Amino acid sequence: MAQQLRDAISSRLKALKFTLAHVAAGIGRDESTLRAWLRGANRVAFEDVLALDSYFADLRHDGLLEELRPHPPRSHWRAEEEPLASIDRLDADGTQTDCIKLQRLGDDHNTPHSPLSKLAALGLLEKSILYFRLDAGIYAVHLGSHCPPPFSQFSVGQDVRRHTDPGLGNTLHRQLLAQTASNERRPRLLRLISPHGSCLLFSLPLSESFVVSLPLSSGAA
């Protein structure tokens, strides 16, 4: 339990660039108490685990509770945002160039009413997924034929939460919903992580209704 808790907290601290002091303050515990938990010196109460899970979920790093299970379910995914500077390392199959093209699209305030025509003009139509937000739902309205798995398993016209892997669908739904709800058309580079691997997704909101993502193969890192 201590090892699993240590791994779950450490990965989040690294992604958030936080210290244990931040977490301790966030859940109302002494830092020494957290260190004792991570050493296995003190037993962690279930209420404290729930507090940790809620604390990180509020920071978009949910799933801590699931990771403490002896055998995490296959459908569990979490998302970690990576700095956009990481794009400079994505050079396989023109990936870096594609991300830069899509990033520039966010600076183009003359985006046509049909986002698909703009993606086609950039040569990204078959590599990207276009989503439409309707109320609390995120629907895939275009799925490029060159999208790698597991993204290729989305169904056009369906809410992303109906993906064959509900854990991935729900995680992606939360991330895209937050992007479309933001007033900023800011691109994000997300690493989606499951107990069995990870993959990258570069996404950009075009408006309050549309967001486009460029799925990257799991080998891109």
Side-chain angles (χ1 to χ4, degrees), residues 33-92:
T33 300
L34 268 71
R35 295 191 181 281
W37 292 343
L38 300 185
R39 293 196 309 270
N42 290 349
R43 183 181 297 274
V44 187
F46 183 64
E47 291 78 5
D48 291 317
V49 174
L50 289 179
L52 286 166
D53 181 70
S54 178
Y55 172 76
F56 284 113
D58 288 343
L59 296 170
R60 297 180 180 175
H61 288 267
D62 53 340
L64 181 141
L65 188 60
E66 293 293 334
E67 291 179 41
L68 298 185
R69 293 182 178 182
H71 302 286
R74 187 174 182 82
S75 63
H76 171 65
W77 290 75
R78 73 175 190 274
E80 294 183 357
E81 185 167 2
E82 298 202 351
L84 293 178
S86 299
I87 292 173
D88 295 339
R89 300 197 305 269
L90 305 177
D91 54 6

Side-chain angles (χ1 to χ4, degrees), residues 77 82 90 92-93 95 147-151 190-194 196-201 214-221:
W77 290 75
E82 298 202 351
L90 305 177
D93 302 322
T95 298
C147 292
F151 305 102
L190 296 173
R191 181 169 294 278
L192 301 171
I193 304 169
S194 80
H196 306 279
S198 68
C199 48
L200 283 171
L201 186 75
L214 186 64
L216 310 176
S217 66
S218 57

Side-chain angles (χ1 to χ4, degrees), residues 146-163:
H146 297 163
C147 292
F151 305 102
S152 57
Q153 297 166 332
F154 282 110
S155 297
V156 173
Q158 287 189 349
D159 192 305
V160 296
R161 288 171 290 187
R162 297 186 64 183
H163 188 277

